[in-house]
């Protein structure tokens, strides 16, 4: 029993086998040169002695090396997440370590390893990045540390932190990124376009000094005469308006881009958009649908709303069935009784697919401000921009241009019926959605 306990962490290294191969070759040559036979036997004895010595110095300490894996509370989907390792060397001599962390199977990483040299009685901090592309639970296996001495003939394995689980939530890193934009009244950060404000409510807030860009129609002439400088009336923005993010989780959202499906891009954008709406004093709600409407969070402004939305989006699951827009219309009409801003995340590839659902979209738009958000096929853009060198490439390019043009026709078709739309690439989805929301707020359309 003790023998098996000893042999389990015992590993012969490649250097040992290279030495054995070299000695075997020398033994073969010693048949030609018999005088070299004794020298080869001495080399074999030396290899055996060094192997035993290497074993003694590595296994003499009960805990030669200790490793700790530090995991975040949760992973952010679609973002790089840091995993930290703390490796301590308790030997009194320098050692070389090969760290093999058993990464969750979702990453499909088969050759992960980190090699380091550790000084005697020292502690080292290491870090590596993981980018999940699916929501759910990620299980880590053991943290394996293979230690070799300067001889490098054998390795001793130490195993720590077996079976750790980290849930992967919608992109809360992206949420923090746009959080400052949400609470700012002057959104000048890169990527946020300036919106010319053409309307406001009549709820008076304060009188302030005129600055460049203020509406001249709001000048308060009495206050201007008293202060001998231009003063303007400032009005409050419309607040507490319901903003619903409706996510199509049907088969049209299964298309992958950079590892994530369009559904996951929509979930990440809906999370950020809900936070922006709450920071702007509006009510935020979500729902998802395919064959039926599920994952419903009623639009509210309570303090726990973001946590509720985050947990609900985390639990959105689908088999990518055909989406039922008639069921969506019926549920929206029954459950959303007040006029609301509805951001519908879906995808249309052809005009025919839009025309099949257009009656339901028009019916929803009668009672609510509907914004249909769908995606560009960035692979088609790449194909269109590449020069065609053969007849087949020219044919493919023409077909790609046809599909890209049809996407623009879908935008025109929606505008014809007073339905607003966003045609965006997956990586720009969040910023384009925020821009549209700010434009609607600035123009007072809701």
């Amino acid at each position: 029993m003790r023998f098996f306990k000893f042999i389990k962490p015992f590993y012969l290294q490649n250097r040992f086998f290279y030495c054995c191969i070299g000695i075997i070759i020398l033994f073969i040559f010693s048949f030609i040169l018999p005088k070299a036979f004794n020298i080869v036997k001495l080399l074999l004895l030396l290899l055996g002695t060094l192997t035993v010595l290497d074993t003694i110095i590595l296994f003499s300490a009960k805990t030669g090396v200790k490793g700790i894996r530090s995991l975040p509370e949760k992973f952010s989907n679609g973002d790089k997440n840091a995993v930290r390792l703390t490796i301590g060397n308790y030997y009194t001599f320098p050692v070389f370590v090969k760290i093999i962390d058993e990464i969750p199977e979702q990453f499909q990483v088969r050759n992960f390893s980190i090699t380091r040299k550790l000084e005697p009685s020292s502690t080292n901090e290491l870090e590596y990045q993981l980018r999940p592309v699916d929501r759910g639970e990620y299980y880590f296996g053991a943290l394996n540390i293979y230690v070799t001495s300067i001889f490098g003939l054998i390795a001793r394995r130490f195993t720590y932190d077996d079976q750790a689980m980290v849930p992967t939530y919608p992109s809360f890193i992206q949420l923090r990124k746009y959080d400052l934009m949400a609470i700012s009244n002057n959104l000048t950060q890169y990527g946020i376009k300036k919106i010319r404000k053409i309307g406001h409510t009549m709820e008076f807030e304060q009188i302030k000094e005129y600055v460049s860009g203020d509406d001249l129609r709001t000048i308060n002439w009495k206050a201007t005469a008293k202060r001998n400088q231009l003063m303007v009336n400032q009005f409050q923005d419309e607040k507490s308006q319901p903003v619903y993010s409706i996510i199509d989780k049907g088969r049209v959202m299964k298309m992958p881009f950079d590892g994530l499906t369009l559904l996951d891009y929509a979930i990440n954008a809906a999370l950020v958009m809900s936070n922006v709406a709450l920071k702007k004093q509006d009510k935020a709600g979500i729902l998802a649908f395919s064959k039926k409407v599920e994952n419903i969070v009623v639009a509210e402004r309570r303090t726990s709303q973001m946590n509720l939305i985050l947990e609900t989006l985390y639990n959105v699951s689908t088999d990518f069935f055909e989406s039922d827009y008639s069921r969506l219309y019926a549920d929206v009409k029954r459950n959303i009784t007040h006029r609301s801003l509805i951001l519908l995340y879906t995808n249309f590839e052809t005009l025919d697919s839009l025309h099949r659902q257009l009656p339901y979209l028009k019916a929803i738009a009668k009672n609510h401000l509907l914004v249909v958000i769908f995606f560009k096929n960035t692979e088609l853009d790449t194909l269109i921009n590449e020069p065609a060198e053969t007849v087949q490439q020219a044919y493919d390019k023409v077909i790609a241009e046809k599909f890209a043009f049809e996407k623009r026709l879908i935008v025109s078709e929606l505008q014809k019926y007073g339905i607003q739309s966003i045609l965006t690439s997956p990586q720009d989805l969040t910023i384009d959605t925020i821009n549209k929301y700010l434009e609607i707020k600035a123009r007072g359309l809701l």
Side-chain angles (χ1 to χ4, degrees):
M1 194 69 180
R2 289 184 177 180
F3 174 75
F4 286 109
K5 189 175 181 181
F6 166 79
I7 204 69
K8 189 176 180 180
F10 182 91
Y11 290 84
L12 294 172
Q13 295 296 93
N14 289 337
R15 185 178 296 180
F16 175 83
F17 292 107
Y18 293 151
C19 292
C20 289
I21 291 171
I23 290 174
I24 291 171
I25 293 173
L26 290 176
F27 268 120
I28 294 172
F29 276 105
S30 67
F31 284 99
I32 302 173
L33 299 173
K35 294 182 179 179
F37 185 73
N38 292 330
I39 298 175
V40 178
K41 287 195 295 182
L42 288 174
L43 291 176
L44 180 60
L45 179 62
L46 178 62
L47 176 61
T49 303
L50 290 177
T51 303
V52 173
L53 179 62
D54 203 5
T55 303
I56 292 172
I57 63 176
L58 285 179
F59 284 83
S60 59
K62 185 177 180 180
T63 306
V65 169
K66 189 172 183 180
I68 299 174
R69 181 204 293 129
S70 299
L71 294 170
E73 182 181 349
K74 53 183 177 284
F75 281 157
S76 176
N77 193 26
D79 301 308
K80 291 183 178 180
N81 299 265
V83 177
R84 293 180 175 84
L85 303 176
T86 303
I87 311 298
N89 178 19
Y90 295 95
Y91 287 109
T92 56
F93 52 87
V95 295
F96 299 89
V97 295
K98 182 178 182 180
I99 305 165
I100 299 180
D101 199 357
E102 295 178 4
I103 293 173
E105 61 181 7
Q106 290 93 328
F107 295 104
Q108 292 296 300
V109 177
R110 307 295 184 184
N111 57 349
F112 176 85
S113 66
I114 301 174
T115 56
R116 288 289 188 276
K117 180 182 179 181
L118 303 183
E119 297 299 327
S121 303
S122 64
T123 302
N124 291 260
E125 299 285 341
L126 307 175
E127 181 179 299
Y128 64 90
Q129 305 279 338
L130 292 176
R131 181 179 180 266
V133 293
D134 291 303
R135 286 165 291 113
E137 296 180 344
Y138 285 63
Y139 288 90
F140 285 79
L143 176 63
N144 301 288
I145 305 174
Y146 295 84
V147 183
T148 57
S149 69
I150 193 172
F151 299 118
L153 296 174
I154 70 161
R156 181 182 178 184
R157 186 183 72 175
F158 295 88
T159 303
Y160 299 98
D161 286 348
D162 193 15
Q163 294 299 320
M165 190 279 288
V166 180
T168 297
Y169 278 75
S171 180
F172 54 84
I173 291 179
Q174 193 178 83
L175 176 67
R176 295 167 187 163
K177 175 182 176 182
Y178 294 108
D179 195 43
L180 183 60
M181 300 182 190
I183 62 177
S184 172
N185 290 322
N186 298 309
L187 299 171
T188 57
Q189 187 164 338
Y190 176 79
I192 296 291
K193 63 184 179 183
K194 295 180 180 179
I195 305 297
R196 183 173 65 90
K197 189 162 186 170
I198 60 175
H200 52 71
T201 65
M202 296 308 294
E203 187 174 352
F204 178 78
E205 183 175 11
Q206 65 175 345
I207 299 175
K208 69 181 187 70
E209 294 181 5
Y210 173 84
V211 295
S212 179
D214 284 340
D215 191 347
L216 295 176
R217 294 172 296 178
T218 62
I219 294 177
N220 187 319
W221 294 108
K222 289 184 178 180
T224 298
K226 289 180 180 179
R227 295 288 299 274
N228 199 26
Q229 61 178 343
L230 285 176
M231 305 293 291
V232 295
N233 295 328
Q234 185 174 0
F235 298 89
Q236 291 182 356
D237 288 336
E238 195 70 57
K239 296 180 180 179
S240 297
Q241 299 168 319
V243 178
Y244 278 91
S245 297
I246 299 181
I247 301 171
D248 182 353
K249 55 181 185 178
R251 66 183 60 177
V252 295
M253 300 293 279
K254 192 175 182 180
M255 182 183 297
F257 178 83
D258 197 21
L260 270 71
T261 62
L262 296 183
L263 175 62
D264 280 308
Y265 277 105
I267 287 172
N268 291 344
L271 179 66
V272 176
M273 190 61 244
S274 299
N275 185 58
V276 171
L278 290 173
K279 296 292 184 182
K280 288 293 184 181
Q281 310 302 316
D282 284 335
K283 300 175 182 178
I286 62 166
L287 60 91
F289 76 102
S290 57
K291 293 177 67 177
K292 58 183 180 179
V293 177
E294 299 173 308
N295 310 107
I296 301 174
V297 176
V298 178
E300 296 287 350
R301 273 194 57 216
R302 53 192 172 191
T303 54
S304 61
Q305 188 74 353
M306 274 309 300
N307 287 333
L308 180 59
I309 290 174
L310 179 62
E311 290 294 333
T312 304
L313 290 175
Y314 170 71
N315 290 303
V316 169
S317 60
T318 178
D319 292 324
F320 295 105
F321 291 116
E322 187 71 27
S323 299
D324 188 350
Y325 277 77
S326 62
R327 185 71 175 269
L328 173 66
Y329 165 66
D331 279 74
V332 167
K333 185 176 182 180
R334 181 172 61 252
N335 296 320
I336 307 179
T337 55
H338 297 284
R339 179 172 170 81
S340 306
L341 170 61
I342 293 180
L343 302 169
L344 174 59
Y345 299 88
T346 185
N347 197 31
F348 296 111
E349 290 293 337
T350 64
L351 270 174
D352 289 338
S353 63
L354 171 67
H355 285 148
R356 286 196 297 270
Q357 314 301 344
L358 192 56
Y360 307 111
L361 298 179
K362 289 162 59 179
I364 294 174
K366 284 182 180 179
N367 300 317
H368 305 280
L369 178 57
L370 176 62
V371 180
V372 178
I373 305 167
F374 61 109
F375 299 88
K376 296 177 182 177
N377 190 330
T378 53
E379 296 296 327
L380 291 181
D381 292 341
T382 303
L383 185 60
I384 291 170
N385 294 328
E386 289 180 352
E389 298 179 354
T390 65
V391 175
Q392 182 63 42
Q393 289 176 349
Y395 177 78
D396 292 341
K397 188 171 182 177
V398 170
I399 296 299
E401 289 174 348
K402 175 183 177 297
F403 279 110
F405 179 69
E406 197 157 6
K407 288 277 189 177
R408 296 192 291 273
L409 285 180
I410 292 173
V411 174
S412 300
E413 189 73 9
L414 290 169
Q415 288 177 345
K416 186 191 302 183
Y417 297 100
I419 301 173
Q420 302 208 35
S421 62
I422 302 174
L423 176 58
T424 181
S425 58
Q427 69 267 30
D428 296 329
L429 172 63
T430 300
I431 199 69
D432 287 343
T433 305
I434 293 175
N435 278 335
K436 191 67 175 180
Y437 168 73
L438 295 176
E439 178 185 351
I440 290 170
K441 292 287 288 182
R443 295 176 63 186
L445 297 179
L446 186 57

mmCIF file of all heavy atoms in Angstrom, residues 382-406:
data_model
loop_
_atom_site.group_PDB
_atom_site.id
_atom_site.type_symbol
_atom_site.label_atom_id
_atom_site.label_comp_id
_atom_site.label_asym_id
_atom_site.label_seq_id
_atom_site.Cartn_x
_atom_site.Cartn_y
_atom_site.Cartn_z
ATOM 1 N N THR A 382 -16.906 40.792 -45.290
ATOM 2 C CA THR A 382 -15.537 40.397 -45.625
ATOM 3 C C THR A 382 -15.453 39.899 -47.060
ATOM 4 O O THR A 382 -14.523 40.244 -47.805
ATOM 5 C CB THR A 382 -15.049 39.292 -44.663
ATOM 6 O OG1 THR A 382 -15.142 39.778 -43.319
ATOM 7 C CG2 THR A 382 -13.609 38.904 -44.958
ATOM 8 N N LEU A 383 -16.441 39.098 -47.452
ATOM 9 C CA LEU A 383 -16.455 38.557 -48.815
ATOM 10 C C LEU A 383 -16.652 39.659 -49.849
ATOM 11 O O LEU A 383 -16.029 39.644 -50.911
ATOM 12 C CB LEU A 383 -17.572 37.517 -48.926
ATOM 13 C CG LEU A 383 -17.670 36.746 -50.250
ATOM 14 C CD1 LEU A 383 -16.390 35.982 -50.533
ATOM 15 C CD2 LEU A 383 -18.862 35.794 -50.214
ATOM 16 N N ILE A 384 -17.494 40.636 -49.528
ATOM 17 C CA ILE A 384 -17.757 41.738 -50.467
ATOM 18 C C ILE A 384 -16.512 42.592 -50.681
ATOM 19 O O ILE A 384 -16.221 43.041 -51.793
ATOM 20 C CB ILE A 384 -18.927 42.599 -49.950
ATOM 21 C CG1 ILE A 384 -20.234 41.804 -50.024
ATOM 22 C CG2 ILE A 384 -19.046 43.896 -50.735
ATOM 23 C CD1 ILE A 384 -21.396 42.473 -49.331
ATOM 24 N N ASN A 385 -15.752 42.827 -49.618
ATOM 25 C CA ASN A 385 -14.576 43.709 -49.702
ATOM 26 C C ASN A 385 -13.358 43.048 -50.333
ATOM 27 O O ASN A 385 -12.411 43.736 -50.715
ATOM 28 C CB ASN A 385 -14.212 44.210 -48.297
ATOM 29 C CG ASN A 385 -15.285 45.113 -47.723
ATOM 30 O OD1 ASN A 385 -15.956 45.837 -48.451
ATOM 31 N ND2 ASN A 385 -15.481 45.056 -46.406
ATOM 32 N N GLU A 386 -13.363 41.717 -50.444
ATOM 33 C CA GLU A 386 -12.235 41.031 -51.067
ATOM 34 C C GLU A 386 -12.353 41.094 -52.580
ATOM 35 O O GLU A 386 -13.443 40.921 -53.130
ATOM 36 C CB GLU A 386 -12.187 39.569 -50.614
ATOM 37 C CG GLU A 386 -11.772 39.378 -49.171
ATOM 38 C CD GLU A 386 -11.731 37.912 -48.780
ATOM 39 O OE1 GLU A 386 -12.176 37.071 -49.603
ATOM 40 O OE2 GLU A 386 -11.271 37.613 -47.657
ATOM 41 N N PRO A 387 -11.239 41.346 -53.288
ATOM 42 C CA PRO A 387 -11.291 41.368 -54.760
ATOM 43 C C PRO A 387 -11.545 39.969 -55.318
ATOM 44 O O PRO A 387 -11.016 38.980 -54.813
ATOM 45 C CB PRO A 387 -9.901 41.884 -55.150
ATOM 46 C CG PRO A 387 -9.015 41.557 -53.986
ATOM 47 C CD PRO A 387 -9.888 41.629 -52.771
ATOM 48 N N ALA A 388 -12.371 39.894 -56.361
ATOM 49 C CA ALA A 388 -12.682 38.612 -56.998
ATOM 50 C C ALA A 388 -11.654 38.325 -58.089
ATOM 51 O O ALA A 388 -11.430 39.149 -58.973
ATOM 52 C CB ALA A 388 -14.088 38.646 -57.580
ATOM 53 N N GLU A 389 -11.032 37.156 -58.016
ATOM 54 C CA GLU A 389 -9.999 36.776 -58.977
ATOM 55 C C GLU A 389 -10.447 35.653 -59.917
ATOM 56 O O GLU A 389 -9.821 35.420 -60.945
ATOM 57 C CB GLU A 389 -8.730 36.338 -58.234
ATOM 58 C CG GLU A 389 -8.125 37.459 -57.385
ATOM 59 C CD GLU A 389 -6.889 37.004 -56.638
ATOM 60 O OE1 GLU A 389 -6.573 35.794 -56.699
ATOM 61 O OE2 GLU A 389 -6.244 37.857 -55.984
ATOM 62 N N THR A 390 -11.505 34.946 -59.557
ATOM 63 C CA THR A 390 -12.018 33.883 -60.411
ATOM 64 C C THR A 390 -13.505 34.104 -60.644
ATOM 65 O O THR A 390 -14.149 34.928 -59.978
ATOM 66 C CB THR A 390 -11.797 32.499 -59.767
ATOM 67 O OG1 THR A 390 -12.573 32.426 -58.559
ATOM 68 C CG2 THR A 390 -10.324 32.274 -59.442
ATOM 69 N N VAL A 391 -14.054 33.351 -61.585
ATOM 70 C CA VAL A 391 -15.485 33.463 -61.883
ATOM 71 C C VAL A 391 -16.319 33.050 -60.666
ATOM 72 O O VAL A 391 -17.321 33.692 -60.341
ATOM 73 C CB VAL A 391 -15.835 32.580 -63.107
ATOM 74 C CG1 VAL A 391 -17.348 32.578 -63.357
ATOM 75 C CG2 VAL A 391 -15.103 33.080 -64.346
ATOM 76 N N GLN A 392 -15.894 31.997 -59.975
ATOM 77 C CA GLN A 392 -16.616 31.538 -58.797
ATOM 78 C C GLN A 392 -16.606 32.604 -57.697
ATOM 79 O O GLN A 392 -17.626 32.842 -57.048
ATOM 80 C CB GLN A 392 -15.987 30.240 -58.280
ATOM 81 C CG GLN A 392 -16.696 29.648 -57.057
ATOM 82 C CD GLN A 392 -18.127 29.251 -57.357
ATOM 83 O OE1 GLN A 392 -18.406 28.681 -58.418
ATOM 84 N NE2 GLN A 392 -19.048 29.570 -56.460
ATOM 85 N N GLN A 393 -15.457 33.251 -57.487
ATOM 86 C CA GLN A 393 -15.373 34.304 -56.477
ATOM 87 C C GLN A 393 -16.256 35.495 -56.849
ATOM 88 O O GLN A 393 -16.881 36.108 -55.986
ATOM 89 C CB GLN A 393 -13.917 34.743 -56.305
ATOM 90 C CG GLN A 393 -13.038 33.704 -55.622
ATOM 91 C CD GLN A 393 -11.589 34.137 -55.556
ATOM 92 O OE1 GLN A 393 -11.176 35.120 -56.180
ATOM 93 N NE2 GLN A 393 -10.788 33.391 -54.793
ATOM 94 N N ALA A 394 -16.302 35.829 -58.138
ATOM 95 C CA ALA A 394 -17.170 36.918 -58.587
ATOM 96 C C ALA A 394 -18.635 36.584 -58.356
ATOM 97 O O ALA A 394 -19.434 37.429 -57.916
ATOM 98 C CB ALA A 394 -16.922 37.201 -60.063
ATOM 99 N N TYR A 395 -19.001 35.316 -58.620
ATOM 100 C CA TYR A 395 -20.375 34.867 -58.381
ATOM 101 C C TYR A 395 -20.706 34.951 -56.891
ATOM 102 O O TYR A 395 -21.773 35.447 -56.509
ATOM 103 C CB TYR A 395 -20.523 33.438 -58.895
ATOM 104 C CG TYR A 395 -21.888 32.842 -58.640
ATOM 105 C CD1 TYR A 395 -22.978 33.184 -59.446
ATOM 106 C CD2 TYR A 395 -22.086 31.943 -57.595
ATOM 107 C CE1 TYR A 395 -24.227 32.641 -59.208
ATOM 108 C CE2 TYR A 395 -23.339 31.405 -57.349
ATOM 109 C CZ TYR A 395 -24.414 31.755 -58.156
ATOM 110 O OH TYR A 395 -25.648 31.220 -57.924
ATOM 111 N N ASP A 396 -19.797 34.475 -56.040
ATOM 112 C CA ASP A 396 -20.014 34.525 -54.589
ATOM 113 C C ASP A 396 -20.147 35.967 -54.103
ATOM 114 O O ASP A 396 -20.966 36.268 -53.218
ATOM 115 C CB ASP A 396 -18.860 33.840 -53.856
ATOM 116 C CG ASP A 396 -18.832 32.336 -54.102
ATOM 117 O OD1 ASP A 396 -19.866 31.784 -54.519
ATOM 118 O OD2 ASP A 396 -17.759 31.725 -53.906
ATOM 119 N N LYS A 397 -19.349 36.847 -54.687
ATOM 120 C CA LYS A 397 -19.385 38.253 -54.275
ATOM 121 C C LYS A 397 -20.727 38.898 -54.631
ATOM 122 O O LYS A 397 -21.294 39.666 -53.838
ATOM 123 C CB LYS A 397 -18.231 39.015 -54.931
ATOM 124 C CG LYS A 397 -18.062 40.430 -54.436
ATOM 125 C CD LYS A 397 -16.780 41.043 -54.970
ATOM 126 C CE LYS A 397 -16.587 42.454 -54.418
ATOM 127 N NZ LYS A 397 -15.306 43.047 -54.855
ATOM 128 N N VAL A 398 -21.248 38.582 -55.808
ATOM 129 C CA VAL A 398 -22.545 39.130 -56.220
ATOM 130 C C VAL A 398 -23.652 38.635 -55.289
ATOM 131 O O VAL A 398 -24.531 39.406 -54.870
ATOM 132 C CB VAL A 398 -22.842 38.738 -57.683
ATOM 133 C CG1 VAL A 398 -24.287 39.089 -58.047
ATOM 134 C CG2 VAL A 398 -21.889 39.463 -58.624
ATOM 135 N N ILE A 399 -23.628 37.344 -54.949
ATOM 136 C CA ILE A 399 -24.642 36.794 -54.043
ATOM 137 C C ILE A 399 -24.542 37.457 -52.673
ATOM 138 O O ILE A 399 -25.555 37.792 -52.037
ATOM 139 C CB ILE A 399 -24.475 35.267 -53.923
ATOM 140 C CG1 ILE A 399 -24.735 34.595 -55.278
ATOM 141 C CG2 ILE A 399 -25.417 34.709 -52.868
ATOM 142 C CD1 ILE A 399 -26.126 34.803 -55.824
ATOM 143 N N ALA A 400 -23.308 37.668 -52.190
ATOM 144 C CA ALA A 400 -23.113 38.316 -50.904
ATOM 145 C C ALA A 400 -23.659 39.743 -50.919
ATOM 146 O O ALA A 400 -24.304 40.188 -49.957
ATOM 147 C CB ALA A 400 -21.629 38.313 -50.528
ATOM 148 N N GLU A 401 -23.417 40.465 -51.997
ATOM 149 C CA GLU A 401 -23.930 41.834 -52.117
ATOM 150 C C GLU A 401 -25.456 41.840 -52.135
ATOM 151 O O GLU A 401 -26.099 42.750 -51.599
ATOM 152 C CB GLU A 401 -23.369 42.493 -53.367
ATOM 153 C CG GLU A 401 -21.875 42.830 -53.257
ATOM 154 C CD GLU A 401 -21.300 43.361 -54.555
ATOM 155 O OE1 GLU A 401 -21.996 43.247 -55.584
ATOM 156 O OE2 GLU A 401 -20.165 43.884 -54.523
ATOM 157 N N LYS A 402 -26.054 40.814 -52.752
ATOM 158 C CA LYS A 402 -27.520 40.712 -52.789
ATOM 159 C C LYS A 402 -28.080 40.550 -51.380
ATOM 160 O O LYS A 402 -29.051 41.220 -51.008
ATOM 161 C CB LYS A 402 -27.927 39.532 -53.659
ATOM 162 C CG LYS A 402 -29.432 39.253 -53.683
ATOM 163 C CD LYS A 402 -29.746 38.029 -54.507
ATOM 164 C CE LYS A 402 -31.250 37.728 -54.466
ATOM 165 N NZ LYS A 402 -31.719 37.403 -53.115
ATOM 166 N N PHE A 403 -27.465 39.670 -50.592
ATOM 167 C CA PHE A 403 -27.946 39.457 -49.229
ATOM 168 C C PHE A 403 -27.738 40.708 -48.371
ATOM 169 O O PHE A 403 -28.591 41.057 -47.542
ATOM 170 C CB PHE A 403 -27.242 38.267 -48.601
ATOM 171 C CG PHE A 403 -27.833 36.940 -49.002
ATOM 172 C CD1 PHE A 403 -27.144 36.078 -49.822
ATOM 173 C CD2 PHE A 403 -29.088 36.567 -48.548
ATOM 174 C CE1 PHE A 403 -27.688 34.857 -50.193
ATOM 175 C CE2 PHE A 403 -29.647 35.345 -48.903
ATOM 176 C CZ PHE A 403 -28.940 34.485 -49.735
ATOM 177 N N ALA A 404 -26.592 41.389 -48.545
ATOM 178 C CA ALA A 404 -26.331 42.607 -47.776
ATOM 179 C C ALA A 404 -27.334 43.703 -48.148
ATOM 180 O O ALA A 404 -27.811 44.449 -47.276
ATOM 181 C CB ALA A 404 -24.900 43.075 -48.020
ATOM 182 N N PHE A 405 -27.658 43.795 -49.437
ATOM 183 C CA PHE A 405 -28.639 44.797 -49.883
ATOM 184 C C PHE A 405 -30.021 44.480 -49.329
ATOM 185 O O PHE A 405 -30.791 45.383 -48.962
ATOM 186 C CB PHE A 405 -28.675 44.835 -51.406
ATOM 187 C CG PHE A 405 -29.670 45.800 -51.969
ATOM 188 C CD1 PHE A 405 -29.491 47.170 -51.842
ATOM 189 C CD2 PHE A 405 -30.817 45.342 -52.617
ATOM 190 C CE1 PHE A 405 -30.412 48.074 -52.355
ATOM 191 C CE2 PHE A 405 -31.744 46.228 -53.130
ATOM 192 C CZ PHE A 405 -31.544 47.599 -52.997
ATOM 193 N N GLU A 406 -30.346 43.192 -49.227
ATOM 194 C CA GLU A 406 -31.655 42.801 -48.704
ATOM 195 C C GLU A 406 -31.797 43.196 -47.237
ATOM 196 O O GLU A 406 -32.888 43.525 -46.780
ATOM 197 C CB GLU A 406 -31.865 41.305 -48.886
ATOM 198 C CG GLU A 406 -33.312 40.882 -48.758
ATOM 199 C CD GLU A 406 -33.608 39.573 -49.469
ATOM 200 O OE1 GLU A 406 -32.654 38.941 -49.966
ATOM 201 O OE2 GLU A 406 -34.780 39.179 -49.504
#
